[in-house]
Amino acid sequence: AQTVTQSQPEMSVQEAETVTLSCTYDTSESDYYLFWYKQPPSRQMILVIRQEAYKQQNATENRFSVNFQKAAKSFSLKISDSQLGDAAMYFCAYRLLSGGGADGLTFGKGTHLIIQP
Amino acid sequence: EPEVTQTPSHQVTQMGQEVILRCVPISNHLYFYWYRQILGQKVEFLVSFYNNEISEKSEIFDDQFSVERPDGSNFTLKIRSTKLEDSAMYFCASSYTGGTEAFFGQGTRLTVV
C-alpha cells in the first residue's frame, strides 16, 4: 500500500519569505501523480499544484513550485513571497495512475503553515 | 468557474439514524469520490464511482455505507446506521478522467450525537 509522510506538523514563516514543506511517499509503482492541496480554516480542499511522475520537469504555479525527486520519493512544496492568505493546512497526496483511473488519493497528515506578519 | 457543491453544510443526527449526504459534481466530470476527514486527522479515501458503479473502495467503506447516482447530476453517500465515530467532515470530489486532479466540494460536517 502507498503511504505519504509529511514530517513537519507545523511550519512558520515571515510574510514575504520563502518556505518549503516536505513530503515523502512510498510506492512500488512507476506511474503516478502527486498533488499538494491547501485546506484553509473553511476546510475546503483546494488544489495547489500537481506533478506527473513521468515528467522530469518540476511543476510551477505562480509562487508555488515543487521539487520532485523520483528516486528519493520526495515531493516538496516551495512557497515564495509568502502571503497571509497562504496560511492553511497543506496536504501532500498521491494517486496511482492505473488503467481504470478511479483510484483514490492517499493523503499525508498535513502541515499547518503559519504566516507571521 | 464550475464547482462541486455539497448539501447540507452541517448535519446533526442521532446515533443509529440514517443520513444521506448529497453532492453535485462538476457537470462534465466522469469520476466521483467520497472522502472523510475526522477532526484533526488526515483526509481518507472512502470510495470512487465511475460508469454507474463503484470502482474502488477503502476498508473504511463497509456495509453501512452506500453510494448512488440517482439522476444525471446528484451523487449521494448514505450511512445506514450512524455511529459516534462517523462524526467527520465528508468531502465529495469529481474529476474528468482518472488522471486529472480531483476538485473537492466544500464538505459536509456530520455530527453524530
Side-chain angles (χ1 to χ4, degrees):
Chain A
Q2 294 81 20
T3 58
V4 177
T5 302
Q6 293 179 249
S7 59
Q8 305 152 317
E10 187 173 281
M11 292 282 285
S12 181
V13 64
Q14 290 289 129
E15 194 176 3
E17 296 294 307
T18 295
V19 63
T20 298
L21 308 184
S22 301
C23 173
T24 58
Y25 57 95
D26 187 25
T27 183
S28 57
E29 305 291 339
S30 58
D31 293 326
Y32 49 87
Y33 295 90
L34 295 164
F35 305 88
W36 279 98
Y37 280 88
K38 168 184 176 181
Q39 187 180 44
S42 67
R43 297 191 73 183
Q44 180 153 15
M45 299 291 287
I46 302 166
L47 177 70
V48 175
I49 200 164
R50 125 192 174 153
Q51 175 82 43
E52 292 90 340
Y54 62 85
K55 289 187 177 178
Q56 292 187 332
Q57 186 172 5
N58 289 321
T60 299
E61 287 288 339
N62 301 313
R63 298 183 294 107
F64 299 87
S65 61
V66 298
N67 183 4
F68 173 49
Q69 302 288 330
K70 191 172 184 179
K73 296 179 183 174
S74 170
F75 183 60
S76 61
L77 174 70
K78 185 172 83 170
I79 306 173
S80 304
D81 185 24
S82 299
Q83 299 175 1
L84 294 177
D86 295 334
M89 283 292 287
Y90 285 81
F91 291 96
C92 179
Y94 164 102
R95 168 191 266 168
L96 176 66
L97 173 59
S98 64
D103 296 279
L105 294 160
T106 299
F107 284 88
K109 290 186 176 181
T111 296
H112 181 211
L113 179 63
I114 298 168
I115 310 295
Q116 305 279 6
Chain B
E1 185 175 322
E3 58 182 18
V4 176
T5 55
Q6 291 184 242
T7 54
S9 56
H10 189 192
Q11 170 114 31
V12 181
T13 189
Q14 294 220 324
M15 191 169 53
Q17 294 295 306
E18 175 183 286
V19 294
I20 298 176
L21 309 183
R22 302 180 191 280
C23 169
V24 178
I26 295 173
S27 62
N28 65 339
H29 284 187
L30 302 176
Y31 294 82
F32 315 115
Y33 312 85
W34 283 101
Y35 291 83
R36 179 182 82 176
Q37 185 183 32
I38 295 171
L39 186 63
Q41 298 188 24
K42 66 179 178 180
V43 180
E44 300 172 293
F45 168 71
L46 291 177
V47 65
S48 62
F49 193 86
Y50 170 71
N51 200 26
N52 283 320
E53 61 183 21
I54 290 175
S55 185
E56 301 284 342
K57 60 182 181 179
S58 72
E59 55 193 32
I60 302 170
F61 193 86
D62 61 22
D63 291 344
Q64 70 162 160
F65 293 97
S66 63
V67 290
E68 192 177 34
R69 188 155 163 83
D71 53 43
S73 59
N74 290 284
F75 179 52
T76 62
L77 174 69
K78 181 191 291 186
I79 309 175
R80 284 191 186 80
S81 178
T82 50
K83 307 171 195 167
L84 294 176
E85 54 264 39
D86 293 328
S87 294
M89 195 77 158
Y90 288 81
F91 291 102
C92 174
S94 69
S95 63
Y96 180 63
T97 71
T100 53
E101 56 268 26
F103 290 86
F104 282 75
Q106 79 280 20
T108 292
R109 179 172 297 184
L110 177 65
T111 303
V112 183
V113 296

